[in-house]
Amino acid sequence: MLRVAIAALFGALSLTACAQQPSAPAAGKGASPATAAAPASGSADERVRSALQKLDPKFAPDYIGAAPFPGFREVLVGGQVLYVTDDGRYLLQSQPYDIQNKAPVSSAGLLAYRQKLLAQVPQAERIVFAAPNAKYTVSVFTDIECGYCRKLHQDIAELNRNGISVEYLAFPRMGLGSQDYTDMISVWCAADRKQALTAAKTGTPVTPKSCTNPVAMQYKLGQQMGVNGTPAIFAADGTQLGGYVPPAQLKAALERITAGGSR
């Protein structure tokens, strides 16, 4: 539903652009420079919210805050990150990249928002592969069928040796009601969830189980965070580290974050 809202938003943008008509002769034929519209009143957040609601009255962002670069607000809706100029006039959809630090970047506000979402999942509802002397912890949205999820799981021992604990959350990428969803419920309901998950990721048929489980909730949470594929790895500070990342690269990224590098 939220992704539909985003599609509607960009559709509205396209229709608005198509509907515009020239109001003055072309440059070089007596035209005078265009006069910029005066910025709307209120805070930048209010201007951006108002501008988006003019495109679609039902458009309800989950988060609006300062972007990691000046002149823009960062907007999160349905897990999708948008950037809107502080005056509410221009909208971009792209992941900003910090050239100096050679890494994608997100604002402190967006990271805090993601941290808050992840904190909603109790430790007892995760499947945890803890490092003996953990230095870092990553939350990983996973399913049991995707190739890169299985490849990441094969790295668990090495990740643990490097001081990285892995905490899995369920994200059945085929959707709620799929066989993937049913099998992940069985994994989360198993007496030994770690063993059941490992077996499932090696292709062993899943023994059907049923219980009160968090699979649907975790799937919806992943959507809120913008997960649209698995695995999806998040650092403790909310930084999304990508899909499959080899152990050495993952450790280097976590070290950079701890040292205060760009996210």
Side-chain angles (χ1 to χ4, degrees):
M1 180 66 71
L2 291 170
R3 281 180 169 77
V4 171
I6 294 170
L9 171 64
F10 280 98
L13 283 170
S14 300
L15 291 172
T16 300
C18 291
Q20 291 176 344
Q21 299 294 328
S23 57
K29 297 182 180 180
S32 58
T35 302
S41 59
S43 69
D45 286 5
E46 290 170 343
R47 289 194 293 271
V48 167
R49 188 180 300 275
S50 175
L52 292 173
Q53 288 179 341
K54 286 178 181 176
L55 289 173
D56 183 353
K58 296 180 181 179
F59 195 76
D62 300 305
Y63 164 83
I64 298 179
F69 42 86
F72 283 79
R73 297 285 101 181
E74 197 167 40
V75 181
L76 183 70
V77 59
Q80 304 299 303
V81 181
L82 310 175
Y83 293 92
V84 183
T85 51
D86 287 345
D87 62 3
R89 181 170 180 180
Y90 299 104
L91 183 151
L92 304 172
Q93 185 182 32
S94 181
Q95 169 67 57
Y97 190 84
D98 187 328
I99 295 175
Q100 179 176 334
N101 289 295
K102 298 181 180 179
V105 62
S106 296
S107 70
L110 180 57
L111 294 180
Y113 179 80
R114 287 175 177 164
Q115 280 183 295
K116 183 178 178 181
L117 290 179
L118 285 172
Q120 296 176 11
V121 184
Q123 188 82 356
E125 294 183 357
R126 302 170 182 235
I127 299 181
V128 179
F129 289 80
N133 299 296
K135 296 180 181 178
Y136 313 104
T137 298
V138 293
S139 297
V140 181
F141 287 89
T142 190
D143 71 5
I144 60 176
E145 294 185 344
C146 82
Y148 279 109
C149 294
R150 294 182 175 187
K151 185 173 178 61
L152 178 67
H153 196 68
Q154 291 171 359
D155 294 338
I156 286 289
E158 185 175 354
L159 291 168
N160 285 172
R161 283 194 297 270
N162 280 280
I164 303 171
S165 291
V166 177
E167 299 187 355
Y168 281 121
L169 294 87
F171 194 86
R173 61 196 176 110
M174 301 307 292
L176 302 183
S178 65
Q179 185 61 47
D180 191 22
Y181 169 67
T182 300
D183 287 344
M184 293 197 77
I185 288 176
S186 296
V187 166
W188 252 256
C189 291
D192 186 338
R193 293 185 299 179
K194 291 172 64 175
Q195 189 279 330
L197 182 65
T198 298
K201 284 178 178 287
T202 61
T204 301
V206 177
T207 302
K209 298 282 185 179
S210 181
C211 66
T212 300
N213 67 85
V215 173
M217 184 278 290
Q218 291 182 8
Y219 176 75
K220 292 174 182 177
L221 180 70
Q223 289 183 313
Q224 280 185 274
M225 295 189 63
V227 176
N228 52 26
T230 51
I233 306 173
F234 290 86
D237 73 336
T239 299
Q240 185 167 4
L241 297 170
Y244 172 76
V245 181
Q249 292 182 27
L250 183 58
K251 182 180 179 182
L254 292 167
E255 288 173 342
R256 183 175 65 247
I257 290 170
T258 301
S262 176
R263 298 168 177 81

